[in-house]
Structures are given as C-alpha cells and as structure tokens.
Amino acid sequence: MRRTRSARPTGRASGSPASPPAPGVRSRSRKLEEIAEQAGLTTGVVYSLFGSKNGLLIALVTDYLTPAYGGIEQTVPDGMGLVEAVEVFARHYRRLCDDPDALRHLSFEISLQDLALRDPELAPRLAASVRAHEERLTALLSGRVHDGSAVTSRQARRLAAALRALMVGLSQGVTFGLADAATGDYFAAIARALITPDVLGPP
C-alpha cells in the first residue's frame, strides 16, 4: 500500500528553508566520503560491503597498521636480543616514512582519529584495533634476552606501548618535514633509549 503524504505543510512547503545538518554531521559525512574515496569505494558500496562506515574504517585501519607490524615480524628472528630487535623495528618504521604515500597515509590516520573523537561507537573499536597490533609487537619482544634475562610479557607490553607512541610521533615529524635529520640510526638510538628499568618495570 502506498503511503500518502501528510496534509500538514512542511517547513519547505511553507517557504521556510530546511534546517541544515549540524556542522559535526557534515564533517563526519565529508570525512567518510574522503576515506571511502581513498579506498576506491562509493559510500553506497561501503554500506553494502561493510555494513556501516565504522566497519569500513576498522578494516582500513587494520590494513593501514599491518605494514608497520607485519613487515617487522619477517625481519626479526626468534634468537635476536631485545636491543637489536628494538633497533630493527625502529629502522623499519623509519623506512615507512620514505614511502611515496606516507603523506596520504598520515592524512588518513588523522582523519580517522578525528572521526573516532566524535563517534562514541567508533572510538573503542579503533582503540581495540590499535591495541591488537600493539599486542603483536608485545609478542615480538616478549621472551627476548636483555641483561642476561628473558623479557616477560608484562615488561614487553610496557615497552611496546612506549615504543609505538615514540615511533608514531617521530614518523609524523618526518612526514611533516619537521625532522629531516631523523635518520634510521636516530630512530634506532631513541628507541634503544627506552630500554631502561623504569620503562620495563618489574618482571
């Protein structure tokens, strides 16, 4: 049965312009369109494939974070000590800054964080995705020898949190052109400086 329109006049019919969407709504819609475009999708396809914009965003952030953590797992053998493993991770992260798409990746990351700050549903899902990748780094560092003892999971988790935060900040500086002198050796040296009793904590 076809639904008939109400006889009550609407604001547009009575000559009053429709209320514009709130700035936050416009911003989120625009951000979604931009991010969908980066993925080569239309917003219609986003909802068809992923169910919601958040489904797409989480899939994208997982894909975005994987090179930083997935690639390092292939270059750090099990027998490598903690200090050397941290240095290798830091140099790997620095090389990602030289990717031709590094600026676009940073733009996507900032857009995603902006959306998460405005969307209470997206924020915990984004945090969970980042935390899952941080756990991969924790697993990579756990059990490695430092000062004659194997690093525990608890110590590796504390170090991984600090190391991730440091690498994200430094890499953004390089991408923005604020840290041109930050070479791979510089990344490695600063990352190595995190390996202290205060950062690692008790076993």
Side-chain angles (χ1 to χ4, degrees), residues 82-155:
L82 178 66
V83 173
E84 189 176 359
V86 166
E87 290 177 345
V88 170
F89 176 77
R91 288 192 170 91
H92 171 78
Y93 220 103
R94 175 60 182 85
R95 285 194 295 272
L96 295 177
C97 300
D98 296 328
D99 189 303
D101 289 330
L103 189 59
R104 183 173 62 85
H105 290 165
L106 179 58
S107 175
F108 164 70
E109 180 182 353
I110 293 174
S111 296
L112 183 64
Q113 291 172 351
D114 177 61
L115 278 172
L117 289 173
R118 301 168 184 269
D119 190 330
E121 179 185 351
L122 177 60
R125 296 185 64 185
L126 174 60
S129 181
V130 173
R131 194 175 298 115
H133 283 81
E134 196 170 284
E135 284 298 320
R136 293 177 64 179
L137 180 56
T138 297
L140 186 70
L141 301 177
S142 182
R144 298 189 182 276
V145 176
H146 177 62
D147 284 346
S149 301
V151 174
T152 66
S153 295
R154 178 181 179 180
Q155 291 174 319

Side-chain angles (χ1 to χ4, degrees), residues 14 22 26 32 38 59 61-62 71 82 87 95-96 103 106 120 134 138 145 148 159 162 174 182-183 190 194 203:
S14 62
R26 290 200 304 268
L32 174 58
Q38 290 185 29
V61 75
T62 298
L82 178 66
E87 290 177 345
R95 285 194 295 272
L96 295 177
L103 189 59
L106 179 58
E134 196 170 284
T138 297
V145 176
L159 178 58
V174 172
T183 63
I190 293 192
L194 291 175

